[in-house]
Amino acid sequence: MARALAPADSFAKLLDESSRPVYVVDAQRRIVYCNVALAEWMDLPPKRIVGRRVEYHSEEQKSDEKVRDDTAPLTDLCPSPRALAGEAGAGTISCQARDGRMLHRAAEFVPLDSWAGKKRKQPSDGKDPQLFAVLVLLAREEMSPQEIASGVVSQGSADELHRTIRRFRRGQSSHYSIKSLLGSSSAMKKVRSQVDAAAASGANVLIFGNLGSGRAHIARAIHYKNAADDAKLLPVDCRLMTDDLMTRTLDRLRPSSNTSGPRAALLLENLESLPAAHQSQLLAALRENWISARILATFSTQAPAVEVEVKASDDVVFHAEHAVEEAQPATSGVLTALVDLVSTILIRVPRLADRVEDLPVLAQFFLEAHNRSSSKQVGSIRADALDALALYRWPGELEQLRETVEAAHDACASHEIVPSELPPLIHRASHAAAHSRKEPERIVLDELLASIEKEAILRALAQAGGNKSEAASLLGMTRPRFYRRLVQLGLAGESAENGEATEVPEFIEHDATE
Amino acid sequence: MSTPGSWIICEKSGRWAAALRVSLERRKHTPFTSRILETRSLAELDLAIKEHKAAFVLVEVRPESMADVLSFLTKRNWGTAQVVAMLEFGGERSTDFRLATDALLEAGAIEVIESSRQLGAVLEIAERQPQNYWTEHTGTIADRAWAALPWQDGQ
């Protein structure tokens, strides 16, 4: 007699015989079961599907290699966010066929709650049931293009919102790629390698640089570098922080009891401007683990800098300048502690003026970006105009360069920007550079004053015919003080100080007798 | 040229602008003038921001306009203007609201609100803006030097 199957096994066997593709995603967004029909639809064996994560947020452009790579997440199998939040519903699930075509099937999402399945009774504490899995049932047939189009309309805002956010995040990942950190200077190469290391480490990162230097762009590049990371990014400008905004920010990062997604990232822009009370609040939240977030912070280096060294890991050490105490002496204790906590890795963004070799490619980038939003198309910036741009010191960094290029684009009368079409500020910088500034004379005050005194004494002696008493009188000095100064200034020997000798230098005697 | 104290609202109905006017009147200590420009589309908003690069911007977001607003926010070419998103999703869609909020903040909105009752919190944020943005980017050298001097309030 055949041995009876366990209930779970018999249920799995039933599903395996189903012609409808079925799979189950657990609360950690891992596929814990798939039937044969799904494996056939995806053209992958079940063992290469089960155990892999499904991603919602950071879906990349689909590639066959990505699907075939057993470690990559299967982004298109991700149930809708509502289903992951415990709501039953319908949507569309896609996969890429071997020939590159996208296949789409209608899907039903059935959330499974823990207390319903395990404890068989509602919890007495009144808490919501904990989601532990989502069962996904696909239709037997592919959707036609017409069905896909009508589905987008009929499913209304929920599915469209889902698609919109996926498109948005895909665009973000592409826009903030490491390749977007333009420049071939050694300083920018170093930044790119640091960004790579920071993205791989998952550690907190502090980015130093001037306002407008692209610090936030670098922070976002670090966040979006890891394609498998579906964590949200929450940017906050510390200059605008209020009590209410701080509370809401911390609330948004509190680990939710209902989700188990990856750690979010908090991007703190201009950390040095965070008010003291909020520094303490944030420090406590991080130390006590009230919030679960990776911290990416930017910090202005416009204050005087101090060289510091921070170990990112055993084999990676970054050097950077920071200006914590100088920036906010009144709150440096808390701010320094906060910086220590978030500066596992430090990255210093070079000034544009220190990497003018990158200026042509950056200017061309901004020019082409402006072309996209303008009816006028300008092809390039002439070499002599680029030379003029390189003479300017760019206190506003990349932001100022972008504005300058846009102004020149708007003023451009042909297909190429020439020097006369650059803003007046650039002309003034060129003019100033053409007239080199005289190096200011340096003095040592004590030496200057001694030389003046010596000159006055010599003149007084000459006036008095070498008579020291009379010279002292002319200078308003007592005889003892006059003799002391003669010795101190090297005009007489030690004995002169006692008034014993009148060793006035010969040239004085000579002058006096003339 | 930038005009400190400008508010630009982009919405269909004018409801948020009315609420903002009331909120500004109630907060009489607001340190800047309260010029409110109303626009009815993102294209109009874009033009308005080009004229007032240091403005404080409120933009209405409906499910059908979500994609356009996200695209608008990610362009990030509006100078020092700050954008607050006002959600008009209706109903009890908490999941949608949370998803939309996360995406809008990630795209560059400094805050996301769903009720005009939250405008007070927005005004508080805006009141920090003059100290941080407008004084840095506008005014003559003498104005900026004067602003940098200590004991401004005579204490």
Side-chain angles (χ1 to χ4, degrees):
Chain A
M1 185 176 136
R3 191 167 59 91
L5 289 171
D9 291 339
S10 54
F11 183 58
K13 191 167 181 297
L14 281 173
L15 291 179
D16 274 339
E17 288 171 6
S18 164
S19 60
R20 289 180 66 175
V22 179
Y23 61 99
V24 179
V25 176
D26 71 7
Q28 282 71 45
R29 300 186 195 177
R30 270 184 205 290
I31 298 175
V32 292
Y33 168 79
C34 80
N35 70 354
V36 176
L38 184 86
E40 286 177 354
W41 184 57
M42 295 192 68
D43 198 13
L44 284 174
K47 65 181 179 184
R48 293 182 62 185
I49 299 173
V50 174
R52 286 170 72 175
R53 277 176 63 85
V54 293
E55 300 284 3
Y56 163 63
H57 282 314
S58 53
E59 183 201 32
E60 281 195 325
Q61 290 288 2
K62 211 65 184 148
S63 74
D64 191 47
E65 292 75 26
K66 201 84 178 170
V67 175
R68 308 292 155 197
D69 172 6
D70 288 354
T71 61
L74 292 164
T75 55
D76 286 327
L77 292 191
C78 190
S80 73
R82 276 201 196 153
L84 291 170
E87 288 181 40
T92 307
I93 289 293
S94 313
C95 88
Q96 191 175 31
R98 275 208 183 273
D99 61 6
R101 281 184 309 124
M102 288 304 292
L103 306 174
H104 306 278
R105 290 198 185 188
E108 293 166 47
F109 305 116
V110 183
L112 306 171
D113 302 330
S114 60
W115 57 262
K118 288 182 179 173
K119 297 181 184 170
R120 297 176 190 281
K121 62 179 183 178
Q122 194 154 349
S124 56
D125 58 7
K127 286 183 181 171
D128 289 338
Q130 296 287 304
L131 177 87
F132 78 97
V134 179
L135 177 72
V136 185
L137 294 145
L138 302 190
R140 286 189 186 82
E141 306 293 334
E142 312 299 333
M143 293 170 78
S144 66
Q146 291 78 12
E147 283 174 322
I148 295 167
S150 65
V152 170
V153 175
S154 65
Q155 282 164 19
S157 63
D159 205 42
E160 183 53 28
L161 179 69
H162 185 179
R163 289 165 194 273
T164 297
I165 294 175
R166 285 166 73 116
R167 276 197 300 272
F168 159 69
R169 292 190 195 276
R170 200 157 54 208
Q172 292 287 93
S173 295
S174 161
H175 180 72
Y176 292 104
S177 69
I178 290 186
K179 283 185 290 184
S180 69
L181 303 174
L182 297 175
S184 57
S185 62
S186 57
M188 276 314 290
K189 284 178 184 164
K190 181 179 171 187
V191 167
R192 282 196 292 271
S193 66
Q194 288 179 322
V195 168
D196 250 334
S201 75
N204 293 339
V205 185
L206 191 58
I207 303 164
F208 288 92
N210 288 346
L211 278 172
S213 61
R215 300 169 306 174
H217 189 107
I218 288 172
R220 284 170 180 264
I222 291 168
H223 175 74
Y224 291 115
K225 169 73 168 59
N226 189 349
D229 185 0
D230 65 345
K232 67 182 175 187
L233 174 69
L234 179 57
V236 181
D237 189 336
C238 296
R239 294 177 298 187
L240 299 174
M241 191 63 82
T242 62
D243 291 346
D244 187 67
L245 184 58
M246 188 73 196
T247 304
R248 285 165 71 102
T249 300
L250 296 181
D251 281 347
R252 283 168 180 148
L253 295 167
R254 257 179 240 287
S256 163
S257 59
N258 214 21
T259 59
S260 52
R263 238 177 21 142
L266 172 62
L267 169 52
L268 293 164
E269 296 186 51
N270 306 298
L271 181 62
E272 75 283 357
S273 299
L274 189 65
H278 301 141
Q279 289 171 20
S280 304
Q281 206 176 344
L282 179 62
L283 189 62
L286 290 170
R287 280 182 173 163
E288 306 293 328
N289 293 321
W290 297 337
I291 59 171
S292 171
R294 176 191 199 181
I295 308 294
L296 304 168
T298 69
F299 201 106
S300 175
T301 49
Q302 271 138 351
V306 175
E307 183 79 12
V308 296
E309 180 181 286
V310 171
K311 261 194 162 182
S313 66
D314 288 342
D315 54 350
V316 184
V317 177
F318 293 105
H319 293 264
E321 292 175 339
H322 83 85
V324 178
E325 307 219 342
E326 290 79 0
Q328 291 204 357
T331 56
S332 62
V334 179
L335 185 59
T336 304
L338 193 53
V339 167
D340 285 346
L341 201 63
V342 304
S343 60
T344 312
I345 295 176
L346 288 167
I347 296 176
R348 184 175 183 279
V349 187
R351 297 188 317 146
L352 179 56
D354 292 337
R355 54 177 186 121
V356 288
E357 62 267 45
D358 292 339
L359 203 140
V361 69
L362 290 166
Q364 186 66 26
F365 172 79
F366 290 132
L367 183 68
E368 291 175 15
H370 198 50
N371 274 340
R372 283 197 288 276
S373 61
S374 167
S375 55
K376 183 160 64 172
Q377 300 296 292
V378 179
S380 60
I381 303 172
R382 215 168 71 185
D384 50 357
L386 286 170
D387 290 344
L389 292 175
L391 293 175
Y392 186 61
R393 63 188 177 90
W394 300 110
E397 301 289 338
L398 299 180
E399 278 302 304
Q400 193 182 12
L401 176 64
R402 181 179 61 76
E403 286 179 8
T404 301
V405 170
E406 287 176 3
H409 177 286
D410 295 344
C412 183
S414 66
H415 63 284
E416 188 175 51
I417 293 171
V418 296
S420 62
E421 290 159 347
L422 295 173
L425 198 65
I426 306 299
H427 292 294
R428 284 199 288 274
S430 300
H431 185 72
H435 298 84
S436 64
R437 278 186 300 176
K438 193 176 174 182
E439 195 64 29
E441 186 182 4
R442 293 181 183 280
I443 60 163
V444 178
L445 186 61
D446 287 343
E447 288 178 9
L448 176 70
L449 294 176
S451 68
I452 291 169
E453 190 177 359
K454 193 172 177 179
E455 179 64 24
I457 288 173
L458 290 174
R459 291 186 185 194
L461 282 168
Q463 195 72 24
N467 185 313
K468 295 182 183 58
S469 298
E470 192 178 340
S473 174
L474 285 172
L475 291 166
M477 298 168 81
T478 61
R479 265 176 61 90
R481 186 179 167 212
F482 182 77
Y483 280 110
R484 265 201 310 280
R485 293 305 292 154
L486 284 180
V487 174
Q488 286 166 351
L489 295 169
L491 295 174
E494 292 290 330
S495 56
E497 199 171 346
N498 302 322
E500 294 168 0
T502 54
E503 294 178 11
V504 176
E506 281 184 12
F507 66 94
I508 293 179
E509 295 289 1
H510 177 73
D511 287 346
T513 54
E514 273 185 349
Chain B
M1 171 160 171
S2 300
T3 307
S6 293
W7 290 80
I8 308 175
I9 296 196
C10 180
E11 60 171 330
K12 294 285 181 204
S13 64
R15 174 175 91 81
W16 287 94
L20 178 64
R21 277 193 194 91
V22 172
S23 299
L24 284 167
E25 281 169 17
R26 284 179 183 159
R27 293 175 71 95
K28 294 192 188 302
H29 64 277
T30 187
F32 43 87
T33 57
S34 309
R35 184 178 176 202
I36 300 174
L37 303 170
E38 291 188 56
T39 62
R40 294 284 177 257
S41 69
L42 289 174
E44 282 181 31
L45 176 62
D46 203 32
L47 288 174
I49 293 179
K50 279 179 181 151
E51 290 291 312
H52 307 276
K53 287 190 174 176
F56 211 88
V57 178
L58 300 179
V59 60
E60 182 183 68
V61 187
R62 294 169 182 269
E64 63 271 21
S65 67
M66 181 76 180
D68 292 335
V69 174
L70 284 174
S71 169
F72 177 81
L73 286 170
T74 49
K75 280 197 298 183
R76 295 173 187 280
N77 61 351
W78 55 66
T80 57
Q82 295 295 323
V83 180
V84 169
M86 309 171 302
L87 284 185
E88 286 278 13
F89 273 33
E92 296 287 326
R93 296 288 192 186
S94 61
T95 310
D96 289 352
F97 181 80
R98 197 171 58 241
L99 279 172
T101 299
D102 287 349
L104 289 163
L105 290 171
E106 193 167 331
I110 56 169
E111 184 56 296
V112 179
I113 58 174
E114 75 264 37
S115 161
S116 56
R117 294 188 304 279
Q118 294 170 293
L119 279 173
V122 172
L123 293 185
E124 262 190 68
I125 296 172
E127 283 164 11
R128 290 186 58 79
Q129 195 183 21
Q131 304 160 28
N132 296 314
Y133 289 90
W134 297 333
T135 52
E136 281 175 15
H137 295 277
T138 61
T140 64
I141 292 171
D143 290 341
R144 279 179 277 153
W146 181 252
L149 291 176
W151 309 299
Q152 292 279 322
D153 55 4
Q155 290 172 354

